[in-house]
Amino acid sequence: MYLLHVHKLHILESPPIQPLDRKSVGLKCNDSVDDVITLPSGRTIRKLDHAPPMNRRTWEAPPRADKLNGVPGRTLSDKHIVAETMYIMKPIIHLGSMCVFGQKSWKPWLISITIEYLSLQRLKSIENLTPQQRLVLSKRSLNLAMYMVRSPFFENYSEKHIRLFLQWFVNSVPLVGPLMRPFLEYMKQWQETYFYLWSV
């Protein structure tokens, strides 16, 4: 929330701090590969014998490519900030609605999927998205499919159809039974273990 509202950063990834992308580490245009050394951390340093004269030295390492080129589309408009805030607050709203309406109620599920859908539609209206932003939005679009295996939709609809399909698959395809029967037996436990998170 702080990064979004104070710095008005772009669509936030999860987790916000991403691992170093070593492929994106670049050099200045006037620096050849022989003039610099790239450390394992990705930082580039210039060799002493290729440094500029003393009176023209900046004492700075060669900048990375992302700092040279800049990152387009870093800020969001007010309506897109509202949409991103909705997405960030979705787990808290969902947990609050579960406390009010109960864990077996459909209302928390409906509230959560509505918030996620509205937020996604607003953010998709942004023009000139960077590849990273498009990747984040595509992941959020795939997360909408996860609602089919979240309670209470899973207990009322998905579980029955998944079990029928897997049972037909086990009976129709030879040698599949020993592999799929444990999945059928533990499907409910796996659903409760791996699909209870609402912001992944």
Side-chain angles (χ1 to χ4, degrees):
M1 294 290 287
Y2 175 80
L3 294 174
L4 179 65
H5 287 276
V6 176
H7 296 283
K8 297 188 183 299
L9 290 183
H10 54 79
I11 300 169
L12 300 177
E13 300 184 44
S14 179
I17 300 175
Q18 297 296 310
L20 175 66
D21 184 6
R22 299 185 186 280
K23 294 181 180 179
S24 67
V25 177
L27 308 174
K28 278 185 177 179
C29 297
N30 57 358
D31 285 330
S32 65
V33 177
D34 297 331
D35 295 344
V36 297
I37 300 172
T38 303
L39 301 178
S41 64
R43 181 181 291 274
T44 55
I45 58 175
R46 189 180 292 109
K47 295 180 181 178
L48 289 177
D49 53 351
H50 290 89
M54 183 73 71
N55 60 345
R56 289 195 294 143
R57 289 184 186 177
T58 61
W59 304 102
E60 295 178 355
R64 291 165 52 150
D66 54 355
K67 292 184 179 179
L68 285 173
N69 301 329
V71 180
R74 289 187 62 87
T75 58
L76 298 174
S77 65
D78 290 340
K79 71 173 185 178
H80 296 131
I81 289 177
V82 171
E84 186 68 8
T85 303
M86 289 169 57
Y87 181 81
I88 294 172
M89 295 297 294
K90 180 194 62 175
I92 298 174
I93 296 172
H94 175 255
L95 289 175
S97 61
M98 284 180 65
C99 292
V100 174
F101 301 112
Q103 295 186 6
K104 300 297 183 181
S105 174
W106 279 90
K107 291 179 181 178
W109 187 89
L110 291 171
I111 291 171
S112 183
I113 194 172
T114 301
I115 290 174
E116 185 148 1
Y117 178 77
L118 293 176
S119 170
L120 188 62
Q121 292 304 309
R122 283 199 171 211
L123 292 173
K124 280 186 175 180
S125 66
I126 302 176
E127 297 180 356
N128 302 322
L129 288 172
T130 63
Q132 292 83 1
Q133 291 172 343
R134 284 195 292 269
L135 180 61
V136 171
L137 292 182
S138 64
K139 288 180 180 178
R140 293 184 186 181
S141 299
L142 289 176
N143 279 342
L144 286 175
M146 303 299 288
Y147 280 84
M148 292 189 295
V149 289
R150 288 182 174 142
S151 301
F153 191 90
F154 178 78
E155 288 85 354
N156 291 280
Y157 294 99
S158 302
E159 184 178 14
K160 178 177 65 175
H161 292 89
I162 292 173
R163 285 188 181 278
L164 287 174
F165 172 76
L166 292 178
Q167 195 65 49
W168 169 83
F169 191 70
V170 166
N171 296 332
S172 302
V173 181
L175 304 177
V176 175
L179 298 175
M180 298 303 296
R181 284 194 182 93
F183 182 79
L184 281 167
E185 293 175 5
Y186 293 101
M187 183 169 60
K188 178 60 179 174
Q189 287 77 8
W190 289 341
Q191 185 269 339
E192 293 175 351
T193 302
Y194 296 109
F195 296 104
Y196 71 97
L197 295 177
W198 288 83
S199 182
V200 181

PDB file of all heavy atoms in Angstrom, residues 155-183:
ATOM      1  N   GLU A 155     -16.786 -27.650  -2.783  1.00  0.00           N
ATOM      2  CA  GLU A 155     -17.616 -28.654  -2.116  1.00  0.00           C
ATOM      3  C   GLU A 155     -18.963 -28.841  -2.803  1.00  0.00           C
ATOM      4  O   GLU A 155     -19.506 -29.946  -2.824  1.00  0.00           O
ATOM      5  CB  GLU A 155     -17.852 -28.267  -0.653  1.00  0.00           C
ATOM      6  CG  GLU A 155     -16.639 -28.421   0.244  1.00  0.00           C
ATOM      7  CD  GLU A 155     -15.728 -27.216   0.201  1.00  0.00           C
ATOM      8  OE1 GLU A 155     -15.984 -26.290  -0.617  1.00  0.00           O
ATOM      9  OE2 GLU A 155     -14.748 -27.189   0.967  1.00  0.00           O
ATOM     10  N   ASN A 156     -19.501 -27.783  -3.389  1.00  0.00           N
ATOM     11  CA  ASN A 156     -20.848 -27.856  -3.953  1.00  0.00           C
ATOM     12  C   ASN A 156     -20.879 -28.249  -5.428  1.00  0.00           C
ATOM     13  O   ASN A 156     -21.889 -28.802  -5.883  1.00  0.00           O
ATOM     14  CB  ASN A 156     -21.553 -26.509  -3.771  1.00  0.00           C
ATOM     15  CG  ASN A 156     -21.873 -26.225  -2.317  1.00  0.00           C
ATOM     16  OD1 ASN A 156     -22.842 -26.718  -1.763  1.00  0.00           O
ATOM     17  ND2 ASN A 156     -21.032 -25.433  -1.671  1.00  0.00           N
ATOM     18  N   TYR A 157     -19.809 -27.946  -6.173  1.00  0.00           N
ATOM     19  CA  TYR A 157     -19.843 -28.208  -7.616  1.00  0.00           C
ATOM     20  C   TYR A 157     -18.600 -28.936  -8.121  1.00  0.00           C
ATOM     21  O   TYR A 157     -18.692 -30.012  -8.706  1.00  0.00           O
ATOM     22  CB  TYR A 157     -20.016 -26.889  -8.388  1.00  0.00           C
ATOM     23  CG  TYR A 157     -21.344 -26.226  -8.150  1.00  0.00           C
ATOM     24  CD1 TYR A 157     -21.461 -25.181  -7.248  1.00  0.00           C
ATOM     25  CD2 TYR A 157     -22.496 -26.651  -8.812  1.00  0.00           C
ATOM     26  CE1 TYR A 157     -22.678 -24.570  -7.011  1.00  0.00           C
ATOM     27  CE2 TYR A 157     -23.717 -26.049  -8.582  1.00  0.00           C
ATOM     28  CZ  TYR A 157     -23.805 -25.006  -7.685  1.00  0.00           C
ATOM     29  OH  TYR A 157     -25.007 -24.411  -7.451  1.00  0.00           O
ATOM     30  N   SER A 158     -17.440 -28.354  -7.904  1.00  0.00           N
ATOM     31  CA  SER A 158     -16.229 -28.865  -8.556  1.00  0.00           C
ATOM     32  C   SER A 158     -15.867 -30.270  -8.106  1.00  0.00           C
ATOM     33  O   SER A 158     -15.506 -31.116  -8.933  1.00  0.00           O
ATOM     34  CB  SER A 158     -15.048 -27.924  -8.285  1.00  0.00           C
ATOM     35  OG  SER A 158     -15.332 -26.630  -8.727  1.00  0.00           O
ATOM     36  N   GLU A 159     -15.939 -30.531  -6.813  1.00  0.00           N
ATOM     37  CA  GLU A 159     -15.472 -31.818  -6.300  1.00  0.00           C
ATOM     38  C   GLU A 159     -16.217 -32.983  -6.940  1.00  0.00           C
ATOM     39  O   GLU A 159     -15.606 -33.977  -7.353  1.00  0.00           O
ATOM     40  CB  GLU A 159     -15.630 -31.860  -4.776  1.00  0.00           C
ATOM     41  CG  GLU A 159     -15.085 -33.133  -4.156  1.00  0.00           C
ATOM     42  CD  GLU A 159     -15.200 -33.139  -2.650  1.00  0.00           C
ATOM     43  OE1 GLU A 159     -15.934 -32.284  -2.104  1.00  0.00           O
ATOM     44  OE2 GLU A 159     -14.568 -34.002  -2.015  1.00  0.00           O
ATOM     45  N   LYS A 160     -17.524 -32.866  -7.050  1.00  0.00           N
ATOM     46  CA  LYS A 160     -18.320 -33.955  -7.619  1.00  0.00           C
ATOM     47  C   LYS A 160     -17.918 -34.233  -9.064  1.00  0.00           C
ATOM     48  O   LYS A 160     -17.716 -35.389  -9.456  1.00  0.00           O
ATOM     49  CB  LYS A 160     -19.805 -33.598  -7.530  1.00  0.00           C
ATOM     50  CG  LYS A 160     -20.729 -34.635  -8.141  1.00  0.00           C
ATOM     51  CD  LYS A 160     -22.183 -34.241  -7.956  1.00  0.00           C
ATOM     52  CE  LYS A 160     -22.497 -32.979  -8.732  1.00  0.00           C
ATOM     53  NZ  LYS A 160     -23.950 -32.633  -8.668  1.00  0.00           N
ATOM     54  N   HIS A 161     -17.772 -33.185  -9.869  1.00  0.00           N
ATOM     55  CA  HIS A 161     -17.448 -33.373 -11.281  1.00  0.00           C
ATOM     56  C   HIS A 161     -16.011 -33.852 -11.471  1.00  0.00           C
ATOM     57  O   HIS A 161     -15.739 -34.678 -12.353  1.00  0.00           O
ATOM     58  CB  HIS A 161     -17.673 -32.065 -12.040  1.00  0.00           C
ATOM     59  CG  HIS A 161     -19.116 -31.664 -12.121  1.00  0.00           C
ATOM     60  ND1 HIS A 161     -19.732 -30.894 -11.164  1.00  0.00           N
ATOM     61  CD2 HIS A 161     -20.070 -31.950 -13.046  1.00  0.00           C
ATOM     62  CE1 HIS A 161     -20.995 -30.701 -11.494  1.00  0.00           C
ATOM     63  NE2 HIS A 161     -21.229 -31.335 -12.636  1.00  0.00           N
ATOM     64  N   ILE A 162     -15.098 -33.356 -10.646  1.00  0.00           N
ATOM     65  CA  ILE A 162     -13.711 -33.815 -10.755  1.00  0.00           C
ATOM     66  C   ILE A 162     -13.609 -35.287 -10.387  1.00  0.00           C
ATOM     67  O   ILE A 162     -12.915 -36.067 -11.054  1.00  0.00           O
ATOM     68  CB  ILE A 162     -12.789 -32.957  -9.865  1.00  0.00           C
ATOM     69  CG1 ILE A 162     -12.707 -31.531 -10.415  1.00  0.00           C
ATOM     70  CG2 ILE A 162     -11.396 -33.564  -9.785  1.00  0.00           C
ATOM     71  CD1 ILE A 162     -11.958 -30.564  -9.524  1.00  0.00           C
ATOM     72  N   ARG A 163     -14.327 -35.692  -9.345  1.00  0.00           N
ATOM     73  CA  ARG A 163     -14.293 -37.099  -8.937  1.00  0.00           C
ATOM     74  C   ARG A 163     -14.902 -38.005 -10.011  1.00  0.00           C
ATOM     75  O   ARG A 163     -14.379 -39.092 -10.289  1.00  0.00           O
ATOM     76  CB  ARG A 163     -15.030 -37.283  -7.611  1.00  0.00           C
ATOM     77  CG  ARG A 163     -14.261 -36.783  -6.410  1.00  0.00           C
ATOM     78  CD  ARG A 163     -14.938 -37.165  -5.110  1.00  0.00           C
ATOM     79  NE  ARG A 163     -14.209 -36.654  -3.971  1.00  0.00           N
ATOM     80  CZ  ARG A 163     -13.142 -37.243  -3.432  1.00  0.00           C
ATOM     81  NH1 ARG A 163     -12.696 -38.383  -3.949  1.00  0.00           N
ATOM     82  NH2 ARG A 163     -12.538 -36.719  -2.390  1.00  0.00           N
ATOM     83  N   LEU A 164     -16.002 -37.570 -10.614  1.00  0.00           N
ATOM     84  CA  LEU A 164     -16.615 -38.377 -11.674  1.00  0.00           C
ATOM     85  C   LEU A 164     -15.677 -38.528 -12.867  1.00  0.00           C
ATOM     86  O   LEU A 164     -15.541 -39.620 -13.435  1.00  0.00           O
ATOM     87  CB  LEU A 164     -17.935 -37.735 -12.111  1.00  0.00           C
ATOM     88  CG  LEU A 164     -19.109 -37.855 -11.137  1.00  0.00           C
ATOM     89  CD1 LEU A 164     -20.302 -37.052 -11.636  1.00  0.00           C
ATOM     90  CD2 LEU A 164     -19.487 -39.320 -10.942  1.00  0.00           C
ATOM     91  N   PHE A 165     -15.015 -37.442 -13.242  1.00  0.00           N
ATOM     92  CA  PHE A 165     -14.093 -37.506 -14.377  1.00  0.00           C
ATOM     93  C   PHE A 165     -12.906 -38.411 -14.067  1.00  0.00           C
ATOM     94  O   PHE A 165     -12.514 -39.250 -14.893  1.00  0.00           O
ATOM     95  CB  PHE A 165     -13.614 -36.103 -14.737  1.00  0.00           C
ATOM     96  CG  PHE A 165     -12.516 -36.094 -15.761  1.00  0.00           C
ATOM     97  CD1 PHE A 165     -12.790 -36.332 -17.102  1.00  0.00           C
ATOM     98  CD2 PHE A 165     -11.203 -35.871 -15.380  1.00  0.00           C
ATOM     99  CE1 PHE A 165     -11.779 -36.337 -18.045  1.00  0.00           C
ATOM    100  CE2 PHE A 165     -10.188 -35.872 -16.320  1.00  0.00           C
ATOM    101  CZ  PHE A 165     -10.471 -36.110 -17.655  1.00  0.00           C
ATOM    102  N   LEU A 166     -12.323 -38.246 -12.880  1.00  0.00           N
ATOM    103  CA  LEU A 166     -11.167 -39.067 -12.533  1.00  0.00           C
ATOM    104  C   LEU A 166     -11.548 -40.534 -12.382  1.00  0.00           C
ATOM    105  O   LEU A 166     -10.766 -41.423 -12.751  1.00  0.00           O
ATOM    106  CB  LEU A 166     -10.527 -38.544 -11.240  1.00  0.00           C
ATOM    107  CG  LEU A 166      -9.844 -37.177 -11.336  1.00  0.00           C
ATOM    108  CD1 LEU A 166      -9.303 -36.763  -9.976  1.00  0.00           C
ATOM    109  CD2 LEU A 166      -8.717 -37.206 -12.359  1.00  0.00           C
ATOM    110  N   GLN A 167     -12.740 -40.796 -11.854  1.00  0.00           N
ATOM    111  CA  GLN A 167     -13.184 -42.189 -11.725  1.00  0.00           C
ATOM    112  C   GLN A 167     -13.372 -42.818 -13.098  1.00  0.00           C
ATOM    113  O   GLN A 167     -12.981 -43.973 -13.325  1.00  0.00           O
ATOM    114  CB  GLN A 167     -14.494 -42.240 -10.934  1.00  0.00           C
ATOM    115  CG  GLN A 167     -14.855 -43.622 -10.425  1.00  0.00           C
ATOM    116  CD  GLN A 167     -13.852 -44.124  -9.401  1.00  0.00           C
ATOM    117  OE1 GLN A 167     -13.514 -43.415  -8.455  1.00  0.00           O
ATOM    118  NE2 GLN A 167     -13.364 -45.340  -9.588  1.00  0.00           N
ATOM    119  N   TRP A 168     -13.944 -42.064 -14.021  1.00  0.00           N
ATOM    120  CA  TRP A 168     -14.083 -42.568 -15.397  1.00  0.00           C
ATOM    121  C   TRP A 168     -12.712 -42.785 -16.027  1.00  0.00           C
ATOM    122  O   TRP A 168     -12.482 -43.778 -16.722  1.00  0.00           O
ATOM    123  CB  TRP A 168     -14.883 -41.564 -16.220  1.00  0.00           C
ATOM    124  CG  TRP A 168     -14.854 -41.864 -17.687  1.00  0.00           C
ATOM    125  CD1 TRP A 168     -15.641 -42.738 -18.365  1.00  0.00           C
ATOM    126  CD2 TRP A 168     -13.949 -41.301 -18.650  1.00  0.00           C
ATOM    127  NE1 TRP A 168     -15.299 -42.763 -19.694  1.00  0.00           N
ATOM    128  CE2 TRP A 168     -14.260 -41.888 -19.902  1.00  0.00           C
ATOM    129  CE3 TRP A 168     -12.922 -40.367 -18.583  1.00  0.00           C
ATOM    130  CZ2 TRP A 168     -13.567 -41.558 -21.069  1.00  0.00           C
ATOM    131  CZ3 TRP A 168     -12.234 -40.047 -19.733  1.00  0.00           C
ATOM    132  CH2 TRP A 168     -12.558 -40.631 -20.956  1.00  0.00           C
ATOM    133  N   PHE A 169     -11.790 -41.870 -15.760  1.00  0.00           N
ATOM    134  CA  PHE A 169     -10.439 -41.980 -16.324  1.00  0.00           C
ATOM    135  C   PHE A 169      -9.723 -43.211 -15.785  1.00  0.00           C
ATOM    136  O   PHE A 169      -9.056 -43.941 -16.525  1.00  0.00           O
ATOM    137  CB  PHE A 169      -9.660 -40.707 -15.992  1.00  0.00           C
ATOM    138  CG  PHE A 169      -8.358 -40.575 -16.722  1.00  0.00           C
ATOM    139  CD1 PHE A 169      -8.326 -40.338 -18.082  1.00  0.00           C
ATOM    140  CD2 PHE A 169      -7.154 -40.690 -16.038  1.00  0.00           C
ATOM    141  CE1 PHE A 169      -7.123 -40.214 -18.761  1.00  0.00           C
ATOM    142  CE2 PHE A 169      -5.952 -40.570 -16.709  1.00  0.00           C
ATOM    143  CZ  PHE A 169      -5.931 -40.335 -18.074  1.00  0.00           C
ATOM    144  N   VAL A 170      -9.876 -43.470 -14.484  1.00  0.00           N
ATOM    145  CA  VAL A 170      -9.227 -44.631 -13.867  1.00  0.00           C
ATOM    146  C   VAL A 170      -9.795 -45.928 -14.429  1.00  0.00           C
ATOM    147  O   VAL A 170      -9.055 -46.888 -14.701  1.00  0.00           O
ATOM    148  CB  VAL A 170      -9.393 -44.572 -12.334  1.00  0.00           C
ATOM    149  CG1 VAL A 170      -9.036 -45.902 -11.692  1.00  0.00           C
ATOM    150  CG2 VAL A 170      -8.539 -43.460 -11.756  1.00  0.00           C
ATOM    151  N   ASN A 171     -11.104 -45.963 -14.628  1.00  0.00           N
ATOM    152  CA  ASN A 171     -11.738 -47.189 -15.116  1.00  0.00           C
ATOM    153  C   ASN A 171     -11.528 -47.408 -16.611  1.00  0.00           C
ATOM    154  O   ASN A 171     -11.603 -48.543 -17.082  1.00  0.00           O
ATOM    155  CB  ASN A 171     -13.236 -47.157 -14.817  1.00  0.00           C
ATOM    156  CG  ASN A 171     -13.514 -47.149 -13.324  1.00  0.00           C
ATOM    157  OD1 ASN A 171     -12.727 -47.658 -12.533  1.00  0.00           O
ATOM    158  ND2 ASN A 171     -14.629 -46.551 -12.934  1.00  0.00           N
ATOM    159  N   SER A 172     -11.269 -46.344 -17.356  1.00  0.00           N
ATOM    160  CA  SER A 172     -11.163 -46.464 -18.813  1.00  0.00           C
ATOM    161  C   SER A 172      -9.740 -46.690 -19.293  1.00  0.00           C
ATOM    162  O   SER A 172      -9.523 -47.372 -20.295  1.00  0.00           O
ATOM    163  CB  SER A 172     -11.724 -45.207 -19.490  1.00  0.00           C
ATOM    164  OG  SER A 172     -13.071 -44.999 -19.116  1.00  0.00           O
ATOM    165  N   VAL A 173      -8.779 -46.103 -18.620  1.00  0.00           N
ATOM    166  CA  VAL A 173      -7.387 -46.189 -19.072  1.00  0.00           C
ATOM    167  C   VAL A 173      -6.651 -47.217 -18.220  1.00  0.00           C
ATOM    168  O   VAL A 173      -6.622 -47.097 -16.993  1.00  0.00           O
ATOM    169  CB  VAL A 173      -6.696 -44.812 -18.973  1.00  0.00           C
ATOM    170  CG1 VAL A 173      -5.256 -44.898 -19.461  1.00  0.00           C
ATOM    171  CG2 VAL A 173      -7.474 -43.771 -19.768  1.00  0.00           C
ATOM    172  N   PRO A 174      -6.069 -48.224 -18.846  1.00  0.00           N
ATOM    173  CA  PRO A 174      -5.353 -49.232 -18.057  1.00  0.00           C
ATOM    174  C   PRO A 174      -4.079 -48.670 -17.432  1.00  0.00           C
ATOM    175  O   PRO A 174      -3.477 -47.723 -17.944  1.00  0.00           O
ATOM    176  CB  PRO A 174      -5.032 -50.323 -19.095  1.00  0.00           C
ATOM    177  CG  PRO A 174      -5.095 -49.643 -20.411  1.00  0.00           C
ATOM    178  CD  PRO A 174      -6.079 -48.524 -20.279  1.00  0.00           C
ATOM    179  N   LEU A 175      -3.684 -49.266 -16.318  1.00  0.00           N
ATOM    180  CA  LEU A 175      -2.457 -48.940 -15.590  1.00  0.00           C
ATOM    181  C   LEU A 175      -2.463 -47.542 -14.966  1.00  0.00           C
ATOM    182  O   LEU A 175      -1.443 -47.089 -14.459  1.00  0.00           O
ATOM    183  CB  LEU A 175      -1.223 -49.070 -16.506  1.00  0.00           C
ATOM    184  CG  LEU A 175      -1.026 -50.436 -17.182  1.00  0.00           C
ATOM    185  CD1 LEU A 175       0.178 -50.391 -18.104  1.00  0.00           C
ATOM    186  CD2 LEU A 175      -0.871 -51.525 -16.140  1.00  0.00           C
ATOM    187  N   VAL A 176      -3.589 -46.861 -15.008  1.00  0.00           N
ATOM    188  CA  VAL A 176      -3.657 -45.524 -14.413  1.00  0.00           C
ATOM    189  C   VAL A 176      -4.188 -45.586 -12.988  1.00  0.00           C
ATOM    190  O   VAL A 176      -3.915 -44.701 -12.180  1.00  0.00           O
ATOM    191  CB  VAL A 176      -4.541 -44.602 -15.291  1.00  0.00           C
ATOM    192  CG1 VAL A 176      -4.726 -43.242 -14.649  1.00  0.00           C
ATOM    193  CG2 VAL A 176      -3.921 -44.431 -16.667  1.00  0.00           C
ATOM    194  N   GLY A 177      -4.921 -46.639 -12.670  1.00  0.00           N
ATOM    195  CA  GLY A 177      -5.547 -46.757 -11.357  1.00  0.00           C
ATOM    196  C   GLY A 177      -4.601 -46.581 -10.189  1.00  0.00           C
ATOM    197  O   GLY A 177      -4.875 -45.788  -9.275  1.00  0.00           O
ATOM    198  N   PRO A 178      -3.454 -47.292 -10.148  1.00  0.00           N
ATOM    199  CA  PRO A 178      -2.554 -47.133  -8.995  1.00  0.00           C
ATOM    200  C   PRO A 178      -2.031 -45.709  -8.822  1.00  0.00           C
ATOM    201  O   PRO A 178      -1.685 -45.307  -7.710  1.00  0.00           O
ATOM    202  CB  PRO A 178      -1.407 -48.100  -9.320  1.00  0.00           C
ATOM    203  CG  PRO A 178      -2.007 -49.112 -10.224  1.00  0.00           C
ATOM    204  CD  PRO A 178      -3.017 -48.372 -11.049  1.00  0.00           C
ATOM    205  N   LEU A 179      -1.972 -44.950  -9.911  1.00  0.00           N
ATOM    206  CA  LEU A 179      -1.477 -43.577  -9.813  1.00  0.00           C
ATOM    207  C   LEU A 179      -2.564 -42.595  -9.393  1.00  0.00           C
ATOM    208  O   LEU A 179      -2.296 -41.640  -8.654  1.00  0.00           O
ATOM    209  CB  LEU A 179      -0.887 -43.139 -11.165  1.00  0.00           C
ATOM    210  CG  LEU A 179       0.319 -43.929 -11.676  1.00  0.00           C
ATOM    211  CD1 LEU A 179       0.706 -43.463 -13.068  1.00  0.00           C
ATOM    212  CD2 LEU A 179       1.498 -43.762 -10.720  1.00  0.00           C
ATOM    213  N   MET A 180      -3.785 -42.815  -9.867  1.00  0.00           N
ATOM    214  CA  MET A 180      -4.842 -41.837  -9.651  1.00  0.00           C
ATOM    215  C   MET A 180      -5.665 -42.099  -8.395  1.00  0.00           C
ATOM    216  O   MET A 180      -6.281 -41.173  -7.871  1.00  0.00           O
ATOM    217  CB  MET A 180      -5.777 -41.808 -10.866  1.00  0.00           C
ATOM    218  CG  MET A 180      -5.103 -41.385 -12.156  1.00  0.00           C
ATOM    219  SD  MET A 180      -4.328 -39.758 -12.049  1.00  0.00           S
ATOM    220  CE  MET A 180      -5.746 -38.723 -11.790  1.00  0.00           C
ATOM    221  N   ARG A 181      -5.697 -43.335  -7.914  1.00  0.00           N
ATOM    222  CA  ARG A 181      -6.518 -43.613  -6.726  1.00  0.00           C
ATOM    223  C   ARG A 181      -6.047 -42.847  -5.492  1.00  0.00           C
ATOM    224  O   ARG A 181      -6.880 -42.343  -4.730  1.00  0.00           O
ATOM    225  CB  ARG A 181      -6.552 -45.121  -6.464  1.00  0.00           C
ATOM    226  CG  ARG A 181      -7.461 -45.867  -7.430  1.00  0.00           C
ATOM    227  CD  ARG A 181      -7.773 -47.287  -6.988  1.00  0.00           C
ATOM    228  NE  ARG A 181      -8.612 -47.948  -7.988  1.00  0.00           N
ATOM    229  CZ  ARG A 181      -8.147 -48.690  -8.982  1.00  0.00           C
ATOM    230  NH1 ARG A 181      -6.836 -48.872  -9.100  1.00  0.00           N
ATOM    231  NH2 ARG A 181      -8.972 -49.257  -9.843  1.00  0.00           N
ATOM    232  N   PRO A 182      -4.723 -42.720  -5.245  1.00  0.00           N
ATOM    233  CA  PRO A 182      -4.316 -41.871  -4.104  1.00  0.00           C
ATOM    234  C   PRO A 182      -4.768 -40.425  -4.261  1.00  0.00           C
ATOM    235  O   PRO A 182      -5.120 -39.772  -3.270  1.00  0.00           O
ATOM    236  CB  PRO A 182      -2.785 -41.985  -4.114  1.00  0.00           C
ATOM    237  CG  PRO A 182      -2.508 -43.271  -4.795  1.00  0.00           C
ATOM    238  CD  PRO A 182      -3.583 -43.428  -5.827  1.00  0.00           C
ATOM    239  N   PHE A 183      -4.771 -39.932  -5.493  1.00  0.00           N
ATOM    240  CA  PHE A 183      -5.240 -38.566  -5.713  1.00  0.00           C
ATOM    241  C   PHE A 183      -6.717 -38.438  -5.372  1.00  0.00           C
ATOM    242  O   PHE A 183      -7.148 -37.447  -4.774  1.00  0.00           O
ATOM    243  CB  PHE A 183      -4.995 -38.169  -7.171  1.00  0.00           C
ATOM    244  CG  PHE A 183      -5.395 -36.760  -7.483  1.00  0.00           C
ATOM    245  CD1 PHE A 183      -4.582 -35.697  -7.143  1.00  0.00           C
ATOM    246  CD2 PHE A 183      -6.606 -36.496  -8.110  1.00  0.00           C
ATOM    247  CE1 PHE A 183      -4.957 -34.395  -7.426  1.00  0.00           C
ATOM    248  CE2 PHE A 183      -6.990 -35.201  -8.396  1.00  0.00           C
ATOM    249  CZ  PHE A 183      -6.158 -34.146  -8.051  1.00  0.00           C
TER     250      PHE A 183
END
